[in-house]
Amino acid sequence: MSDDCPVPTGQKERATNPSIESVYGTYIPWGGSLLFCPHGHVPEFVTQRPVHGDPPLGVWGSPSLAPPPPQSGAGLAQGGGLGPQAESVYPAIVQPILPTSRWEYGRVLGCAENPTGPDCGRVLSKVVCSRSRDHASYLKHQRCNEPTCPTCYPKYAKRISDAVSTRVAGWQSVYPGDTPYHLVFWGRKGQTYKDLTDAHHQAARMLRDMGATSAVVWYHPYRIRAELKPALRRLMRRWKSEPEQCRLARKNGGVVQYSEMYMDVGFWLLAHEDALGIGGLHNYVEYGPHFHAVAAGYLTKSSQYSALTGRGYKKKGYLIKDGSVERLSYYLSTHACYEWTKSTVRYLGTISYAKLARKTVETSIEDVCCPDCGAPLAEYDYDETTGETLGLLHERVTCKIERHVYWRRGDPEPRWGQQNIVEFMSDAVEK
């Protein structure tokens, strides 16, 4: 365990000493379980839920919904004598099963508490259409590209997504009869993995036993806590009905749009941004190791596989729509297990490096065009304080386009025109 992570407090110790104060907050006995109060701020209401069942989500842009005060004497015996002087700065969440560690079972992308550098997330410039300012535009930000940085992890996840979607496209050009699908699978109950390498080795064995012929695998050591999901669903539903009033401000500037939250990463974006205000990403997760894969091949019947091995899997659906592999790969990468010098994803079967060869046949520099009218994009200086577009920095925004050819390793290398060429945009502008 790295030096910057505090030594975790075990579940057994918390059960015997429920009044623990740590960097996470304070735990107090309440209603037969423990009440988690981030940063030591104890709310004055502990017995009733907010009006209309909505959580007091003061962090996500809309005013907190304060419930009526508790009745006289209600909850004082169990709540440790809470007085009226307690200030409700953060909403409290009752956690019957408390988090036992801070990344004890491995780190995930974006799990650091603070950005790597002070400039992470700072706006560098604004990219707009050279023909009309009313067309699609976006901001470019300063990025450290550190996988665990809470500000820059989406950029790292996007790089993984680009690499996976490009290789899957190349694999499909060689195996056009195979259609990839989203597969979720897990090991025996109570099974643990000592590191990312061990998890990937176990995943390869499970996929072989299932009958998969090709797979791109992600290992997820954690899952969103079940008791927090109702509050997150209510937040998402209200966000959908009141998009202007319910906007989640990012930690380092900018706003998370509803479409980005709901369509791309769902609960995990809310957890990364601490939408419930409970103290950070580590308070949203619990240990629940499982795997995701973009896989292919005819699988053994799930009930038979479970009866024979004690493991299980669920086939989520085929990835046949344009961009479906890229979107799924990005979502899976945002909370995948990360270890230094080790690959976050693993290619197995016919898509592996041992069986699928690739060669770059052409590289070119091309203009990035406006998606609305096709005109070249231009880059301008941008004042983040006033929101004004200033002087021109570059008349053209360009990117490098690589074209690859794929073939089965061991077969003769195909010549130009004999095989489908797969394009990949590298060094692309940030969106």
Side-chain angles (χ1 to χ4, degrees):
M1 185 175 293
S2 60
D3 297 336
D4 58 343
C5 293
V7 177
T9 303
Q11 178 78 16
K12 183 175 181 181
E13 182 180 352
R14 282 181 179 161
T16 58
N17 185 14
S19 181
I20 293 176
E21 299 227 359
S22 66
V23 293
Y24 312 126
T26 303
Y27 295 88
I28 61 175
W30 184 81
S33 61
L34 296 182
L35 183 69
F36 176 65
C37 304
H39 308 292
H41 296 290
V42 182
E44 62 181 13
F45 51 91
V46 293
T47 59
Q48 299 186 21
R49 295 186 60 82
V51 180
H52 305 303
D54 289 329
L57 306 176
V59 176
W60 56 292
S62 182
S64 298
L65 301 175
Q71 298 177 0
S72 176
L76 296 182
Q78 296 178 343
L82 298 178
Q85 70 276 8
E87 181 182 0
S88 177
V89 179
Y90 291 90
I93 301 294
V94 178
Q95 302 183 24
I97 305 175
L98 297 173
T100 59
S101 66
R102 183 171 289 192
W103 314 123
E104 178 181 356
Y105 302 102
R107 293 192 170 192
V108 298
L109 267 64
C111 68
E113 291 189 10
N114 300 309
T116 304
D119 293 334
C120 290
R122 181 174 62 88
V123 177
L124 299 176
S125 59
K126 184 176 183 179
V127 178
V128 300
C129 177
S130 59
R131 182 177 299 173
S132 174
R133 296 287 182 91
D134 297 331
H135 290 176
S137 62
Y138 57 90
L139 301 177
K140 294 182 65 175
H141 299 81
Q142 177 70 36
R143 300 296 188 192
C144 67
N145 290 330
E146 171 62 33
T148 58
C149 176
T151 301
C152 303
Y153 80 92
K155 190 69 173 179
Y156 189 84
K158 183 64 166 59
R159 290 171 54 189
I160 297 176
S161 173
D162 289 341
V164 170
S165 58
T166 303
R167 189 162 185 85
V168 170
W171 167 81
Q172 287 184 287
S173 69
V174 179
Y175 299 91
D178 293 342
T179 303
Y181 49 80
H182 179 197
L183 180 68
V184 185
F185 59 102
W186 53 91
R188 297 184 181 92
K189 184 177 181 180
Q191 184 173 356
T192 60
Y193 309 95
K194 60 182 180 181
D195 53 23
L196 183 59
T197 300
D198 180 44
H200 279 154
H201 286 167
Q202 296 294 332
R205 295 176 183 175
M206 287 186 278
L207 288 166
R208 183 185 61 223
D209 294 340
M210 279 185 274
T213 59
S214 173
V216 186
V217 183
W218 289 260
Y219 169 52
H220 289 174
Y222 307 102
R223 61 190 176 199
I224 297 294
R225 303 177 64 81
E227 61 268 25
L228 298 182
K229 289 183 178 180
L232 294 173
R233 289 191 183 98
R234 287 194 296 270
L235 190 157
M236 295 171 70
R237 286 197 298 266
R238 186 169 182 181
W239 195 329
K240 185 176 181 179
S241 61
E242 303 176 10
E244 295 301 325
Q245 299 181 17
C246 309
R247 301 199 304 171
L248 175 63
R250 291 190 185 277
K251 298 177 182 178
N252 294 277
V255 173
V256 178
Q257 299 296 331
Y258 169 77
S259 59
E260 177 187 2
M261 179 274 297
Y262 189 75
M263 298 301 294
D264 292 340
V265 288
F267 287 169
W268 278 96
L269 177 59
L270 298 178
H272 273 101
E273 299 295 336
D274 192 13
L276 298 180
I278 60 175
L281 177 62
H282 57 277
N283 288 323
Y284 287 80
V285 301
E286 61 184 354
Y287 184 57
H290 61 282
F291 301 87
H292 291 260
V294 176
Y298 183 79
L299 303 181
T300 304
K301 192 175 181 179
S302 59
S303 58
Q304 181 180 0
Y305 173 76
S306 178
L308 292 175
T309 64
R311 306 180 179 98
Y313 75 84
K314 184 176 182 180
K315 196 172 177 180
K316 303 287 285 187
Y318 285 94
L319 304 173
I320 56 178
K321 295 183 179 179
D322 292 340
S324 58
V325 173
E326 182 179 3
R327 289 191 296 270
L328 176 63
S329 300
Y330 176 75
Y331 163 72
L332 297 178
S333 300
T334 56
H335 51 287
C337 183
Y338 169 78
E339 291 185 17
W340 179 252
T341 72
K342 295 182 180 179
S343 176
T344 304
V345 299
R346 183 69 59 89
Y347 298 96
L348 303 172
T350 56
I351 199 174
S352 65
Y353 294 108
K355 295 187 178 181
L356 185 67
R358 186 187 82 169
K359 179 182 179 180
T360 302
V361 295
E362 185 180 356
T363 301
S364 61
I365 304 298
E366 300 181 7
D367 290 337
V368 180
C369 298
C370 173
D372 295 332
C373 65
L377 297 180
E379 185 175 357
Y380 290 82
D381 194 8
Y382 181 78
D383 190 334
E384 189 174 3
T385 304
T386 62
E388 296 181 357
T389 303
L390 305 177
L392 179 66
L393 296 178
H394 301 97
E395 294 183 354
R396 293 287 189 274
V397 177
T398 60
C399 65
K400 183 170 68 173
I401 302 294
E402 296 179 349
R403 294 175 174 85
H404 310 295
V405 61
Y406 292 81
W407 69 96
R408 293 183 180 90
R409 194 173 293 278
D411 292 348
E413 179 181 337
R415 293 179 296 176
W416 183 275
Q418 289 184 335
Q419 193 76 11
N420 293 332
I421 303 299
V422 179
E423 293 188 357
F424 173 61
M425 179 186 295
S426 60
D427 299 334
V429 292
E430 178 183 0
K431 295 186 178 181

